Amino acid sequence: LFLLVSIVQAQDSENRILLGLFTPHWDNFEYLNGKVKEIHYQSYHISDNEGETVKGEPFTDKEAEYEEIRRAWSLYFDRGGNMICTKLKINDNNIQSAVIHLVDNRIENIYWIRNDSLLYTIDVIYDKQGNVETYWKASQDIKFNKGRHYALDKNGHVIKSDFYYPPDTIFYTEEFSRYPDGTIKEKKGIDTHGKLQHHYTGFKYNDHGLFEYNDIELLNYKDPEYPDIVAKYEYDDNDNWVKRIHPEWMMIERKIVYYE
């Protein structure tokens, strides 16, 4: 499992924080308003009852298909807007936590824990060319394996992400082209043989800068029959979204707790 945590940059002058690499919004960054203390994500199956959205059973982690925004994350922040801990619920008997070590408000190490036992450690390495490497180490093994490589543009947005099998075999790559404001314009998923597996175009965003819609040109090597679904949002008093609804398919609820 590629369990993602975050590099979160505090912006106290504007009283908001950026959710980017490696939050559930690592590919499609997002800003949060206010002094956020905690965020809790849960996705649900939904149905329609005479025009009203009816919430059904929660998505399992398997049903989420490792799409980060659909998974049951909890994110925890200090008063400066830095992520200090994250949790991921795989199922009722498997909740994993990450303790985050920061240096100058930047993540350097991540320690994943379950039931008070260390599962593995992630070291995060930055270079001057705008690349970020993650190296994974099992608690019983001193050898590090490369987990993921990110290439970033000058604004810190991901333009390419390579996923690795240990120690250094790329099994999947995602490539992004972006609009001038950094939002996604086009996204490609490329398999280990260099063949195009997924292709998404025509990304649209609402007046809050949030994802609304995209065209799917290729899904798992096939031209899909896919409905035109436009994501709709509900917001809290700080103008942060707390519900993201994909009609007749899915709802993501996000509980946000603020510092007083």
Side-chain angles (χ1 to χ4, degrees):
L1 298 179
F2 280 86
L3 306 178
L4 301 182
V5 294
S6 76
I7 296 169
V8 182
Q9 297 177 345
Q11 298 190 358
D12 292 330
S13 61
E14 301 179 21
N15 197 27
R16 64 178 188 169
I17 59 174
L18 172 65
L19 297 178
L21 190 70
F22 303 65
T23 71
H25 308 272
W26 69 269
D27 54 349
N28 218 358
F29 68 93
E30 182 179 312
Y31 287 97
L32 285 177
N33 303 308
K35 294 291 187 180
V36 175
K37 183 178 182 181
E38 304 171 13
I39 316 173
H40 305 278
Y41 295 76
Q42 181 63 63
S43 57
Y44 296 90
H45 297 277
I46 60 173
S47 58
D48 181 84
N49 182 15
E50 297 181 351
E52 292 189 7
T53 298
V54 179
K55 184 169 68 175
E57 292 295 316
F59 270 53
T60 65
D61 197 64
K62 183 177 180 180
E63 289 172 329
E65 298 175 330
Y66 305 128
E67 288 289 335
E68 299 307 317
I69 192 66
R70 302 178 198 166
R71 305 181 78 185
W73 289 98
S74 292
L75 315 178
Y76 301 86
F77 302 85
D78 64 17
R79 288 186 176 272
N82 298 299
M83 181 94 81
I84 55 175
C85 180
T86 185
K87 294 182 180 181
L88 179 62
K89 180 180 178 181
I90 307 300
N91 54 52
D92 289 339
N93 299 315
N94 187 355
I95 299 175
Q96 301 180 8
S97 302
V99 178
I100 298 169
H101 174 233
L102 299 112
V103 177
D104 296 328
N105 296 326
R106 190 172 72 173
I107 292 177
E108 297 284 345
N109 312 97
I110 305 153
Y111 304 97
W112 278 97
I113 298 168
R114 183 178 63 203
N115 297 330
D116 297 324
S117 297
L118 181 65
L119 292 173
Y120 53 89
T121 301
I122 301 175
D123 278 11
V124 184
I125 310 297
Y126 307 84
D127 69 21
K128 295 180 180 179
Q129 286 71 46
N131 299 310
V132 179
E133 301 273 8
T134 59
Y135 289 88
W136 303 58
K137 182 178 73 173
S139 58
Q140 72 275 13
D141 185 358
I142 62 172
K143 182 179 180 181
F144 277 86
N145 292 315
K146 186 182 293 185
R148 199 162 179 180
H149 173 274
Y150 301 92
L152 311 181
D153 65 17
K154 64 181 181 180
N155 297 311
H157 304 132
V158 178
I159 54 175
K160 185 178 180 182
S161 177
D162 293 320
F163 298 76
Y164 286 83
Y165 282 126
D168 57 5
T169 302
I170 298 174
F171 72 89
Y172 188 68
T173 296
E174 290 184 331
E175 296 179 351
F176 303 87
S177 62
R178 296 183 178 272
Y179 293 107
D181 65 358
T183 54
I184 297 173
K185 182 179 182 180
E186 182 181 20
K187 175 181 175 180
K188 296 179 180 179
I190 301 166
D191 69 15
T192 188
H193 305 293
K195 185 177 181 181
L196 188 63
Q197 183 175 353
H198 306 294
H199 189 197
Y200 308 90
T201 62
F203 284 78
K204 304 296 182 183
Y205 298 84
N206 67 10
D207 57 3
H208 285 69
L210 299 172
F211 168 84
E212 270 193 338
Y213 168 83
N214 66 265
D215 295 310
I216 303 179
E217 305 292 339
L218 195 68
L219 185 63
N220 204 23
Y221 308 105
K222 297 178 181 179
D223 182 10
E225 294 182 6
Y226 199 82
D228 293 335
I229 297 175
V230 177
K232 300 178 181 179
Y233 295 85
E234 296 180 14
Y235 304 89
D236 65 11
D237 292 340
N238 285 306
D239 214 24
N240 295 318
W241 72 263
V242 290
K243 285 186 181 179
R244 171 172 159 174
I245 301 170
H246 299 253
E248 301 182 13
W249 174 37
M250 176 186 67
M251 172 194 294
I252 303 170
E253 288 190 343
R254 195 167 71 167
K255 180 182 179 182
I256 304 177
V257 179
Y258 298 89
Y259 284 103
E260 296 181 357

